[in-house]
Amino acid sequence: MLTQHQPGGPESEPAVREAHHRALEALRRAEESARAPFSIGLVGEMSAGKSMLLGLLLGLPELLPVGEEAVTGNVTLIHAKAASAETGESHESAVRVEYFSQAQTLDYLRHLRNELANQAQSALSAQVLEQLRQLPIREPDCGELLRFRDTYLTGALAQSLAGVLQELDSLDQALRRMHESGLPLLGQRAELDDELARAAVVLPGADTERGADPRGHFRSGAPARSGLGASLSTGLLRATLPLIRRVVREVRVAPSVWDLGEFPGAELRLLDFPGLDSAFSAVRDQYVCGAELHSVHSLLMLLNAGGGAKDTPQRIFRMWRAAQRADSMEDSIIALISRFHDLRVAEPVLKSYAADTQPLTREQLLRGIPVLKDLLASAERLVTPAHPTPTSMGPADRVLLTSAMRALSVSGRHEQVGREFRDKCDLDVKLPKADKHAETWGEIGRRLSTDALSGGLDRMLTDFADDGGLARLRRRLRDHVTRHGAALRLDQFAERREDVVEALRELQTALEASGGRSRVDHRSDTAVSQRLTVLSAVWMDVRDRSAVELLDAHRLSSRRTRGAPGPSLFTELERDTAERVYTWPSWNRLLDTVHEERVDARRLRGDHRVPVRTDEFFPEFRDACREIEAAGSARLLAAVETWLLGHQQRVVAAARELATVVTPDAYELLRSSTEGERLAARLPRAASLQWLRDEAEKALRDTDPAEPQVDDEQVRQRFPLRTGHILPWHPDNLVGSAADASSGHQTTIARHRREMTAMVLHQALAGLARRQRLVAAHLWSQADAFIDDLRAPALTGALVTAVAGGKESERGLAGLAEQLSLRAENSAYSWKPADWDAAANPWEPGGPFGGQPFDQGPYDGGTTP
């Protein structure tokens, strides 16, 4: 709808265009959230080893640019999918760049403006500061901010703001370069080769500021074809890097490296965030990381064991709050102490703990190595909520020790990397050091393993020594996604939907404030659209509930007299099963033989015909299963009808509202043409759920005859007794005969009867569940197709034309405001039956639609067929 009604031209107001962009962006993010697999973000300070660790997780150490200096200048999203079973090595299948949309560019400009205001607030007067905060930014242009800079941010103040002002200049130059190239980069995606991908993610300018460039050199301006239909070059990508949202890499991961088949959909999304303390792009890094926090479900927070104390966790907490995430950050974190081989502990101290033969406890180790104690305490604080709730995940097993260098060495992949990568990372020096320290820590971990109070530190250390902690990390990610993935994804989507509703409300307000409503008469359009939206929403609720409530036998029930609800389908089936099994003739004959609570062996002879072998119960068991199975469809249809009747009054109420607009004259005018007659035929169906009840009957009728009859062998597999055995009350039963002589055989009979009842009920419930799935899927499909018909533009247009007396109604942005007002209402997303009164169906036979309710029928009146 928003795509069909685009604000444009000089007459459209900037506020409308801006709100329109925001609404489209909110919808895009909601759709992305619904479709995306589980997403994990890697965050930490510069040079914490994120990029190399991520590459090693996937079996591709050279996948991402790495180095000791600030390298990553953009978010890289890796869409990892499981490769085929016969694939021996992971490989990259595609790479592309995604530029900011116009709305995102505006947000980034506002972020720069707000950061300028925050950093300059102590040096500017209150009036000037407020002027800066209110500076209008409605187009992707730096002009307003640059003019403010040249007027107020000069001299010593400019020196103190050098970092953010440099980023403002970089953004301005990027926008200018984009315009000069003639390529509409905003909102675009482009396929890249390896060299172009590197240019799109590596920070520019670091080589000139820090001396030697640890990343090698680019071939400047090497062109390559892109998805834009024009040439992109390394020069253009580097010049427009401030406009790049992220680089996306698609990777097929070999099962021998990491079995992604254990994850939903056999895929994961992993986001490599820039380090948050870069001297070249700190403000932009904070923005792109904060923006992508909306799309991640969990975070891998890397604490650099080789560096000093950093404020990265505090920055992430601030960005999490700024992103207005509804979930607890602590519940979504796995804390990694990275580069653990670089932990600054004197070698003699480590060797003394590894070589000592005395028992070693966690407390002794942490007391002797305070830096390790502080690191573990910092990591545990990250995963422990300040105010735990019953749903909190808890910190157990969410702190890990890792080392990409140790993992690179143990896996043997250091022998496969190129010379440039080896030199850049100084592998010849660092790998031996990492191996040496890992072996020492492994010995300490094995000493701790004998101590039950080690709190898991023993396994953390030995896992780190084994392979740099990668296998442990993969297991933790698998367990985390298995336990919490669905809940985290659903929570995120609910948050996105709220963003959409809020954006639609803002766009509606902007459209109404623009004054466009007074230029064209949209009364007919508005009246029809409002009522069709309400009617569609009721039908959508019926459709969505059918996919859940029709599968719950405890909630489905048939009606009884005077409209009171009858017993649930489950209760009815349970009672019917018990009644049938308890009336088997064999039980009565058997109970007649009981004398003083035991089966009297003398009474087993004669005309009693008491079952003495387990097989003799089978015919009655089989017949009971078949009888209950045969009655299942009728009983289920009665329950489905009752369920539909519970929604009927809401359908009627919504249809009555539409009938106040589509009068009999308008209805006849609609039917005056062949096409109008076809469209008009949908309206009676919209006023009643009777046809859905008929669809349920059709689905059951069409399926049951084609279903193969359950043969004796299938039923025998459910028979609860061991076939071919003599029952315990018979004198010929030699097993435990001494105990049987004094046992209460009446109790044994009762137990067998309960077992028979339970198994017959199990068989009946299995058949019922199959029918419920069939009916629920069929009704969902039918209702979904009908909703598409009901919301079709052709029907809306025809109704509007008929209501307007046959004249075409002009539609545009003004009409859009009325439609948005309905879609932004809470009632359009969550319906409550209590919101509707019990008004009678307004559609009498002489009414415009001719519809009737189905409050009377063959299954009404409290009788179950």
Side-chain angles (χ1 to χ4, degrees):
M1 184 174 63
L2 294 184
T3 304
Q4 292 173 354
H5 299 85
Q6 293 275 2
E11 71 281 357
S12 63
E13 296 189 9
V16 172
R17 294 199 301 273
E18 184 178 334
H20 189 272
H21 288 314
R22 281 200 301 270
L24 280 175
E25 181 66 18
L27 285 162
R28 182 198 61 76
R29 285 170 50 188
E31 182 179 16
E32 183 182 79
S33 174
R35 296 178 183 274
F38 195 86
S39 301
I40 300 170
L42 276 75
V43 294
E45 63 261 20
M46 182 188 71
S47 300
K50 300 185 300 299
S51 299
M52 186 184 295
L53 182 69
L54 184 49
L56 284 167
L57 271 176
L58 304 176
L60 296 169
E62 296 184 87
L63 178 67
L64 302 173
V66 296
E68 285 300 303
E69 304 295 339
V71 174
T72 305
N74 252 325
V75 172
T76 297
L77 186 154
I78 300 177
H79 194 168
K81 298 182 180 181
S84 59
E86 58 273 11
T87 302
E89 293 291 337
S90 302
H91 62 276
E92 187 175 40
S93 57
V95 59
R96 66 177 181 272
V97 64
E98 295 182 359
Y99 278 90
F100 283 145
S101 66
Q102 180 163 319
Q104 292 167 333
T105 307
L106 294 175
D107 284 340
Y108 177 35
L109 274 165
R110 295 188 188 100
H111 179 75
L112 279 171
R113 178 195 63 189
N114 296 339
E115 189 64 24
L116 272 174
N118 292 337
Q119 294 188 23
Q121 60 182 347
S122 60
L124 295 176
S125 66
Q127 182 178 0
V128 174
L129 186 63
E130 184 62 21
Q131 181 183 342
L132 173 58
R133 294 188 187 279
Q134 298 299 325
L135 209 62
I137 296 178
R138 292 172 179 163
E139 298 293 340
D141 185 279
C142 299
E144 293 287 342
L145 282 172
L146 292 175
R147 282 189 285 274
F148 185 91
R149 178 202 62 184
D150 295 340
T151 304
Y152 297 103
L153 308 179
T154 58
L157 179 56
Q159 292 295 323
S160 66
L161 301 175
V164 65
L165 290 178
Q166 179 182 341
E167 293 192 51
L168 177 61
D169 284 333
S170 298
L171 178 60
D172 181 56
Q173 293 171 18
L175 288 168
R176 292 176 183 274
R177 181 64 184 274
M178 179 189 72
H179 293 308
E180 292 170 0
S181 71
L183 296 178
L185 296 179
L186 297 186
Q188 296 296 331
R189 302 180 178 188
E191 301 297 326
L192 304 178
D193 60 20
D194 287 340
E195 182 183 346
L196 290 171
R198 188 178 179 84
V201 75
V202 173
L203 282 170
D207 50 347
T208 58
E209 295 294 331
R210 294 177 180 252
D213 184 358
R215 303 171 301 266
H217 298 279
F218 299 118
R219 297 193 306 273
S220 177
R225 300 298 296 176
S226 73
L228 291 168
S231 293
L232 282 177
S233 65
T234 56
L236 180 59
L237 281 164
R238 297 188 73 178
T240 58
L241 188 142
L243 299 176
I244 294 175
R245 175 192 176 191
R246 63 191 183 189
V247 172
V248 179
R249 295 179 180 270
E250 296 183 7
V251 175
R252 296 288 179 174
V253 182
S256 59
V257 174
W258 191 4
D259 185 7
L260 294 185
E262 298 175 329
F263 294 91
E267 57 184 331
L268 275 178
R269 293 208 317 177
L270 300 151
L271 290 93
D272 181 29
F273 290 101
L276 297 181
D277 51 358
S278 167
F280 299 96
S281 57
V283 177
R284 185 180 178 282
D285 290 348
Q286 185 178 3
Y287 172 77
V288 294
C289 291
E292 293 296 341
L293 280 178
H294 280 284
S295 64
V296 301
H297 302 109
S298 288
L299 291 176
L300 291 182
M301 177 80 80
L302 276 73
L303 302 178
N304 189 351
K310 302 283 186 178
D311 66 345
T312 299
Q314 289 75 18
R315 294 191 190 190
I316 298 296
F317 274 111
R318 289 195 294 270
M319 288 193 299
W320 192 272
R321 289 195 299 267
Q324 298 180 344
R325 295 276 303 236
D327 51 336
S328 166
M329 178 177 158
E330 296 90 343
D331 276 349
S332 301
I333 283 182
I334 295 177
L336 308 184
I337 300 177
S338 68
R339 297 180 61 163
F340 189 68
H341 63 276
D342 280 338
L343 187 66
R344 296 174 182 173
V345 182
E347 189 171 340
V349 173
L350 278 184
K351 286 186 175 181
S352 66
Y353 281 109
D356 195 353
T357 58
Q358 296 300 315
L360 179 63
T361 67
R362 173 189 172 102
E363 289 72 19
Q364 289 173 331
L365 181 64
L366 297 185
R367 187 166 53 248
I369 306 179
V371 64
L372 177 59
K373 179 181 179 179
D374 293 342
L375 266 176
L376 289 174
S378 297
E380 289 170 358
R381 280 196 298 271
L382 286 173
V383 300
T384 306
H387 305 287
T389 65
T391 59
S392 295
M393 298 177 190
D397 295 326
R398 288 197 289 129
V399 175
L400 295 87
L401 309 177
T402 62
S403 167
M405 286 294 172
R406 176 62 173 172
L408 191 64
S409 175
V410 171
S411 66
R413 296 187 180 277
H414 64 288
E415 300 175 353
Q416 305 168 11
V417 299
R419 186 74 242 176
E420 182 182 3
F421 181 89
R422 176 178 290 274
D423 293 342
K424 192 186 308 179
C425 299
D426 199 12
L427 296 187
D428 294 333
V429 173
K430 293 184 177 179
L431 286 181
K433 174 186 174 183
D435 290 340
K436 180 179 179 181
H437 284 184
E439 291 168 2
T440 305
W441 281 115
E443 288 298 324
I444 295 174
R446 281 184 282 275
R447 287 197 56 214
L448 275 171
S449 64
T450 61
D451 184 358
L453 300 178
S454 63
L457 183 57
D458 56 331
R459 290 297 306 275
M460 292 168 65
L461 290 172
T462 54
D463 286 344
F464 155 73
D466 287 344
D467 68 345
L470 257 63
R472 184 183 181 94
L473 175 57
R474 292 185 180 114
R475 290 195 301 271
R476 290 294 171 261
L477 290 176
R478 178 199 62 197
D479 295 343
H480 181 67
V481 174
T482 300
R483 295 176 186 175
H484 310 295
L488 289 168
R489 290 186 65 199
L490 286 169
D491 287 345
Q492 185 192 80
F493 179 73
E495 191 178 333
R496 298 292 181 281
R497 197 185 70 172
E498 291 298 323
D499 293 342
V500 169
V501 173
E502 185 61 33
L504 293 180
R505 288 172 177 161
E506 291 178 3
L507 177 56
Q508 174 203 347
T509 301
L511 287 168
E512 291 178 345
S514 69
R517 298 176 62 188
S518 61
R519 290 196 285 269
V520 183
D521 181 11
H522 296 284
R523 287 175 295 179
S524 299
D525 189 346
T526 300
V528 171
S529 297
Q530 282 180 333
R531 288 157 178 81
L532 271 180
T533 298
V534 172
L535 186 58
S536 298
V538 177
W539 272 92
M540 289 168 64
D541 191 52
V542 172
R543 176 200 65 187
D544 295 341
R545 288 176 183 268
S546 70
V548 178
E549 294 177 356
L550 291 186
L551 299 178
D552 189 349
H554 286 281
R555 297 179 64 179
L556 288 180
S557 62
S558 57
R559 287 198 299 173
R560 287 293 181 257
T561 55
R562 300 177 183 175
S568 72
L569 193 56
F570 179 87
T571 301
E572 197 170 41
L573 189 62
E574 187 178 41
R575 184 175 59 196
D576 185 32
T577 301
E579 289 176 355
R580 289 178 187 270
V581 175
Y582 276 50
T583 56
W584 289 358
S586 57
W587 300 126
N588 296 326
R589 290 195 298 269
L590 184 55
L591 289 172
D592 286 343
T593 67
V594 173
H595 177 67
E596 294 182 356
E597 297 186 356
R598 292 188 297 112
V599 175
D600 191 339
R602 295 171 297 177
R603 300 187 183 188
L604 294 178
R605 302 178 181 86
D607 298 330
H608 287 296
R609 288 174 21 187
V610 172
V612 295
R613 289 183 176 274
T614 54
D615 305 71
E616 297 178 50
F617 276 121
F618 179 72
E620 291 170 310
F621 176 81
R622 176 198 59 208
D623 293 342
C625 288
R626 289 177 174 174
E627 289 169 4
I628 294 176
E629 178 83 2
S633 292
R635 181 178 282 115
L636 176 60
L637 184 58
V640 170
E641 179 177 83
T642 301
W643 180 83
L644 288 170
L645 282 169
H647 296 279
Q648 175 66 15
Q649 60 179 339
R650 294 172 49 210
V651 172
V652 170
R656 287 184 64 192
E657 287 298 314
L658 182 60
T660 61
V661 178
V662 184
T663 62
D665 291 341
Y667 186 66
E668 290 303 318
L669 184 60
L670 176 65
R671 299 177 58 187
S672 60
S673 65
T674 303
E675 178 65 14
E677 179 70 26
R678 185 183 68 81
L679 295 172
R682 300 176 187 174
L683 297 181
R685 291 166 66 86
S688 173
L689 296 173
Q690 171 70 45
W691 66 274
L692 269 188
R693 181 259 172 215
D694 296 340
E695 286 292 335
E697 182 179 21
K698 177 177 180 295
L700 291 169
R701 183 178 65 246
D702 291 348
T703 302
D704 279 346
E707 180 182 306
Q709 293 295 321
V710 179
D711 58 25
D712 283 5
E713 186 57 35
Q714 288 177 313
V715 179
R716 194 177 295 277
Q717 293 176 4
R718 304 285 188 182
F719 191 53
L721 303 180
R722 296 177 63 188
T723 57
H725 284 248
I726 297 175
L727 292 166
W729 47 75
H730 196 272
D732 294 340
N733 182 14
L734 300 179
V735 180
S737 57
D740 290 336
S742 60
S743 64
H745 288 306
Q746 190 172 19
T747 304
T748 305
I749 294 169
R751 177 171 58 82
H752 283 301
R753 188 166 55 181
R754 287 196 302 272
E755 290 173 352
M756 291 288 185
T757 303
M759 191 52 69
V760 173
L761 178 61
H762 178 84
Q763 184 84 349
L765 288 173
L768 175 65
R770 179 185 54 77
R771 287 178 168 85
Q772 285 181 272
R773 289 193 298 269
L774 167 74
V775 171
H778 186 69
L779 292 192
W780 194 99
S781 174
Q782 293 294 317
D784 187 59
F786 178 67
I787 290 167
D788 288 342
D789 290 344
L790 197 61
R791 300 174 66 179
L795 177 61
T796 304
L799 286 176
V800 170
T801 300
V803 171
K807 299 178 180 179
E808 291 287 342
S809 174
E810 182 181 348
R811 309 184 70 186
L813 287 175
L816 177 63
E818 296 292 345
Q819 297 178 60
L820 290 176
S821 68
L822 296 171
R823 286 167 173 81
E825 287 294 330
N826 289 329
S827 58
Y829 296 91
S830 60
W831 294 90
K832 297 180 181 178
D835 294 341
W836 302 87
D837 58 20
N841 183 4
W843 308 118
E844 299 300 332
F849 296 169
Q852 294 184 4
F854 67 107
D855 55 0
Q856 297 178 357
Y859 297 104
D860 192 34
T863 59
T864 301

